[in-house]
Amino acid sequence: MSHAPRGALVDSFGRRHNNLRLSVTDRCNLRCVYCMPAEVTFLPRAELLSFEEIERVTRVAVTLGIDKVRITGGEPLLRKDLSRLVMMLSAIPGLVDVGLTTNGISLPQHAQALKDAGLKRINISLDTLNPAKFQQITRRDDFDRVIEGILAARAAGLGPVKVNAVAIRGFTEEEVVPLTAFALEHGVEMRFIEYMPLDAGRTWEREKVLFAAEMIAILEAAFGPMKPSPDNDPRAPAVDYDFVERPGSVGFIASVSRPFCMSCNRLRLTAEGKLRNCLFSLEETDLRSILRGGGADLAIERAFQESVASKWEGHEINTSRFIQPERMMHSIGG
Ligand code: SAM
Ligand code: SF4
């Protein structure tokens, strides 16, 4: 039987938090339309937490029951020597899992160093196998580099490698089958994430989301029947579906059509040290002022506990009460 650590991060709905997403930068070399505006002013370098500050926050969080972290951004591989941070985090006793989410562009140069530093899980974002559509969604011309990045992650022995695509109505329908075929061919796992209202233009509408059930129907027409995987973790946001007549599975993060807030176990740290208890939070806790103001670890612990205690029941994307946060996805850390 597992025992909750002292001061475990349990909120008023009984949700225990063991998962921390660490954004290391708000910068990016792509400009995906659902995440960032075309022109953007980034945070000054001095405002970003140093690797030592990120490690300290993580070390304290681990004493409160965090055992999984994922490095994200912006584009995390734009931080110089990111593998040093991976190594520092991997050395924290009690932290069982260090993952990375990246757009893959810089993986050919960095995949091996990341693997050697202790990275296991890696998610690479790719919404289409059509270079013209890639340019349309990312506003950049780096399709070939992302494909090379996925292959480099495989070649370096990183695993599991997951490929994430945002599911947008009118864009993704034609991508579901080719992306899945690509993933099956290259031994990576395909995952579709329903488009969420964290875009710069604030043009998100529920009608623009391609739902998991619709994607499953498209896949079944191409590859035969699918069924929910018996290995699904009820606390994980992704639900995997296995193919019945052939090996392989596809994951779906159905944040809009099937919200999973009641099993949410995640907290987020932004690149400038703001702790957020929900992707859609309207409030956040400033840890950087504690870190740079000479605060003790106890002050960081308290900040985590207070943030978790104030966590709401869940986002209200599907209601008229929903308020889109000021921050866009790239400055939260998706
Ligand atoms: N730059 C890295 C990347 O693209 O993988 C890491 C940061 S990105 C913000 C993390 C993930 O959030 C990506 O998989 C991206 O596709 C997803 N994302 C960004 N905006 C989104 C939105 N509005 N709805 C759903 N997913 C989104
Ligand atoms: Fe950059 Fe990732 Fe956002 Fe695309 S989704 S703009 S790659 S941070």
Side-chain angles (χ1 to χ4, degrees), residues 4-24:
R6 176 180 58 85
L9 300 170
V10 181
D11 71 10
S12 56
F13 301 92
R15 295 172 293 199
R16 180 161 161 208
H17 295 74
N18 70 326
N19 196 311
L20 179 62
R21 295 178 78 93
L22 301 166
S23 173
V24 294

Side-chain angles (χ1 to χ4, degrees), residues 12 18-19 83 101 157 187 217 241 265 316:
S12 56
N18 70 326
N19 196 311
S83 47
T101 299
Y241 275 69
N265 58 5
E316 297 196 308

Side-chain angles (χ1 to χ4, degrees), residues 166-206:
V166 179
I168 305 170
R169 188 174 302 286
F171 183 94
T172 308
E173 291 88 336
E174 288 177 3
E175 304 306 318
V176 174
V177 170
L179 282 170
T180 302
F182 171 86
L184 292 169
E185 182 189 339
H186 291 283
V188 300
E189 293 174 37
M190 195 60 222
R191 231 159 55 149
F192 293 95
I193 308 173
E194 290 180 354
Y195 173 34
M196 293 182 281
L198 291 164
D199 55 313
R202 295 183 171 248
T203 59
W204 182 93
E205 294 168 33
R206 204 169 188 278

Side-chain angles (χ1 to χ4, degrees), residues 27-32 34-36 73-75 103 125 330:
R27 282 168 202 262
C28 192
N29 38 6
L30 297 181
R31 291 288 183 280
C32 303
Y34 45 70
C35 176
M36 271 175 115
E75 174 44 43
N103 63 28
S125 301
H330 78 99

Side-chain angles (χ1 to χ4, degrees), residues 48-64:
L48 303 185
L49 295 192
S50 66
F51 288 172
E52 286 68 23
E53 288 170 327
I54 294 170
E55 193 255 5
R56 180 172 170 212
V57 170
T58 307
R59 204 173 266 281
V60 172
V62 167
T63 67
L64 301 173

